[in-house]
PDB file of all heavy atoms in Angstrom:
ATOM      1  N   GLY B  16     -46.916 -46.909  33.799  1.00 97.00           N
ATOM      2  CA  GLY B  16     -48.078 -47.296  33.060  1.00 97.00           C
ATOM      3  C   GLY B  16     -49.401 -46.804  33.591  1.00 97.00           C
ATOM      4  O   GLY B  16     -50.340 -46.782  32.915  1.00 97.00           O
ATOM      5  N   ARG B  17     -49.326 -46.449  34.948  1.00 98.00           N
ATOM      6  CA  ARG B  17     -50.525 -45.972  35.589  1.00 98.00           C
ATOM      7  C   ARG B  17     -50.622 -44.417  35.401  1.00 98.00           C
ATOM      8  O   ARG B  17     -49.721 -43.784  34.903  1.00 98.00           O
ATOM      9  CB  ARG B  17     -50.573 -46.357  37.098  1.00 98.00           C
ATOM     10  CG  ARG B  17     -50.295 -47.886  37.287  1.00 98.00           C
ATOM     11  CD  ARG B  17     -51.450 -48.698  36.806  1.00 98.00           C
ATOM     12  NE  ARG B  17     -52.621 -48.635  37.575  1.00 98.00           N
ATOM     13  CZ  ARG B  17     -52.910 -49.420  38.549  1.00 98.00           C
ATOM     14  NH1 ARG B  17     -52.104 -50.390  38.902  1.00 98.00           N
ATOM     15  NH2 ARG B  17     -54.049 -49.288  39.254  1.00 98.00           N
ATOM     16  N   ILE B  18     -51.708 -43.911  35.959  1.00 98.00           N
ATOM     17  CA  ILE B  18     -51.883 -42.466  35.951  1.00 98.00           C
ATOM     18  C   ILE B  18     -51.258 -41.754  37.020  1.00 98.00           C
ATOM     19  O   ILE B  18     -51.304 -42.265  38.242  1.00 98.00           O
ATOM     20  CB  ILE B  18     -53.393 -42.057  35.813  1.00 98.00           C
ATOM     21  CG1 ILE B  18     -53.497 -40.574  35.582  1.00 98.00           C
ATOM     22  CG2 ILE B  18     -54.117 -42.654  37.031  1.00 98.00           C
ATOM     23  CD1 ILE B  18     -55.047 -40.228  35.296  1.00 98.00           C
ATOM     24  N   SER B  19     -50.535 -40.638  36.859  1.00 98.00           N
ATOM     25  CA  SER B  19     -50.029 -39.779  37.908  1.00 98.00           C
ATOM     26  C   SER B  19     -50.990 -38.511  38.010  1.00 98.00           C
ATOM     27  O   SER B  19     -51.220 -37.922  36.938  1.00 98.00           O
ATOM     28  CB  SER B  19     -48.610 -39.284  37.609  1.00 98.00           C
ATOM     29  OG  SER B  19     -47.721 -40.367  37.618  1.00 98.00           O
ATOM     30  N   ILE B  20     -51.387 -38.228  39.133  1.00 98.00           N
ATOM     31  CA  ILE B  20     -52.183 -36.976  39.339  1.00 98.00           C
ATOM     32  C   ILE B  20     -51.537 -36.062  40.380  1.00 98.00           C
ATOM     33  O   ILE B  20     -51.371 -36.500  41.526  1.00 98.00           O
ATOM     34  CB  ILE B  20     -53.547 -37.318  39.805  1.00 98.00           C
ATOM     35  CG1 ILE B  20     -54.334 -38.195  38.823  1.00 98.00           C
ATOM     36  CG2 ILE B  20     -54.427 -36.064  40.048  1.00 98.00           C
ATOM     37  CD1 ILE B  20     -55.710 -38.677  39.202  1.00 98.00           C
ATOM     38  N   LEU B  21     -51.140 -34.947  39.918  1.00 98.00           N
ATOM     39  CA  LEU B  21     -50.458 -33.935  40.786  1.00 98.00           C
ATOM     40  C   LEU B  21     -51.428 -32.764  41.037  1.00 98.00           C
ATOM     41  O   LEU B  21     -52.078 -32.286  40.061  1.00 98.00           O
ATOM     42  CB  LEU B  21     -49.150 -33.435  40.194  1.00 98.00           C
ATOM     43  CG  LEU B  21     -48.097 -34.586  40.012  1.00 98.00           C
ATOM     44  CD1 LEU B  21     -47.987 -34.942  38.603  1.00 98.00           C
ATOM     45  CD2 LEU B  21     -46.770 -34.122  40.561  1.00 98.00           C
ATOM     46  N   ASN B  22     -51.493 -32.354  42.197  1.00 98.00           N
ATOM     47  CA  ASN B  22     -52.495 -31.367  42.604  1.00 98.00           C
ATOM     48  C   ASN B  22     -51.943 -30.003  43.045  1.00 98.00           C
ATOM     49  O   ASN B  22     -50.814 -29.989  43.546  1.00 98.00           O
ATOM     50  CB  ASN B  22     -53.374 -31.849  43.727  1.00 98.00           C
ATOM     51  CG  ASN B  22     -54.280 -33.003  43.290  1.00 98.00           C
ATOM     52  OD1 ASN B  22     -55.113 -32.884  42.286  1.00 98.00           O
ATOM     53  ND2 ASN B  22     -54.149 -34.139  43.927  1.00 98.00           N
ATOM     54  N   CYS B  23     -52.705 -28.997  42.863  1.00 98.00           N
ATOM     55  CA  CYS B  23     -52.233 -27.600  43.189  1.00 98.00           C
ATOM     56  C   CYS B  23     -53.422 -26.770  43.600  1.00 98.00           C
ATOM     57  O   CYS B  23     -54.417 -26.834  42.883  1.00 98.00           O
ATOM     58  CB  CYS B  23     -51.473 -27.044  41.957  1.00 98.00           C
ATOM     59  SG  CYS B  23     -50.874 -25.363  42.142  1.00 98.00           S
ATOM     60  N   ASP B  24     -53.278 -25.963  44.635  1.00 98.00           N
ATOM     61  CA  ASP B  24     -54.345 -25.081  45.074  1.00 98.00           C
ATOM     62  C   ASP B  24     -53.805 -23.647  45.042  1.00 98.00           C
ATOM     63  O   ASP B  24     -52.620 -23.448  45.365  1.00 98.00           O
ATOM     64  CB  ASP B  24     -54.844 -25.450  46.435  1.00 98.00           C
ATOM     65  CG  ASP B  24     -55.452 -26.826  46.463  1.00 98.00           C
ATOM     66  OD1 ASP B  24     -56.524 -26.904  45.873  1.00 98.00           O
ATOM     67  OD2 ASP B  24     -54.909 -27.767  47.039  1.00 98.00           O
ATOM     68  N   TYR B  25     -54.672 -22.708  44.760  1.00 97.00           N
ATOM     69  CA  TYR B  25     -54.223 -21.313  44.816  1.00 97.00           C
ATOM     70  C   TYR B  25     -55.224 -20.429  45.598  1.00 97.00           C
ATOM     71  O   TYR B  25     -56.383 -20.829  45.746  1.00 97.00           O
ATOM     72  CB  TYR B  25     -53.988 -20.757  43.413  1.00 97.00           C
ATOM     73  CG  TYR B  25     -55.205 -20.770  42.526  1.00 97.00           C
ATOM     74  CD1 TYR B  25     -55.911 -19.560  42.371  1.00 97.00           C
ATOM     75  CD2 TYR B  25     -55.461 -21.859  41.784  1.00 97.00           C
ATOM     76  CE1 TYR B  25     -56.971 -19.520  41.496  1.00 97.00           C
ATOM     77  CE2 TYR B  25     -56.580 -21.817  40.891  1.00 97.00           C
ATOM     78  CZ  TYR B  25     -57.291 -20.669  40.755  1.00 97.00           C
ATOM     79  OH  TYR B  25     -58.457 -20.636  39.956  1.00 97.00           O
ATOM     80  N   THR B  26     -54.753 -19.323  46.128  1.00 96.00           N
ATOM     81  CA  THR B  26     -55.707 -18.507  46.929  1.00 96.00           C
ATOM     82  C   THR B  26     -55.956 -17.168  46.199  1.00 96.00           C
ATOM     83  O   THR B  26     -57.005 -16.523  46.514  1.00 96.00           O
ATOM     84  CB  THR B  26     -55.034 -18.200  48.354  1.00 96.00           C
ATOM     85  OG1 THR B  26     -53.699 -17.593  48.133  1.00 96.00           O
ATOM     86  CG2 THR B  26     -54.853 -19.453  49.072  1.00 96.00           C
ATOM     87  N   ASN B  27     -55.096 -16.726  45.278  1.00 94.00           N
ATOM     88  CA  ASN B  27     -55.233 -15.454  44.620  1.00 94.00           C
ATOM     89  C   ASN B  27     -56.232 -15.582  43.537  1.00 94.00           C
ATOM     90  O   ASN B  27     -55.904 -16.172  42.436  1.00 94.00           O
ATOM     91  CB  ASN B  27     -53.873 -14.993  44.192  1.00 94.00           C
ATOM     92  CG  ASN B  27     -53.917 -13.504  43.616  1.00 94.00           C
ATOM     93  OD1 ASN B  27     -54.999 -12.953  43.355  1.00 94.00           O
ATOM     94  ND2 ASN B  27     -52.795 -12.946  43.431  1.00 94.00           N
TER      95      ASN B  27
END
Side-chain angles (χ1 to χ4, degrees):
Chain B
R17 307 294 286 266
I18 185 171
S19 296
I20 300 176
L21 297 106
N22 293 301
C23 178
D24 297 292
Y25 61 97
T26 57
N27 186 347

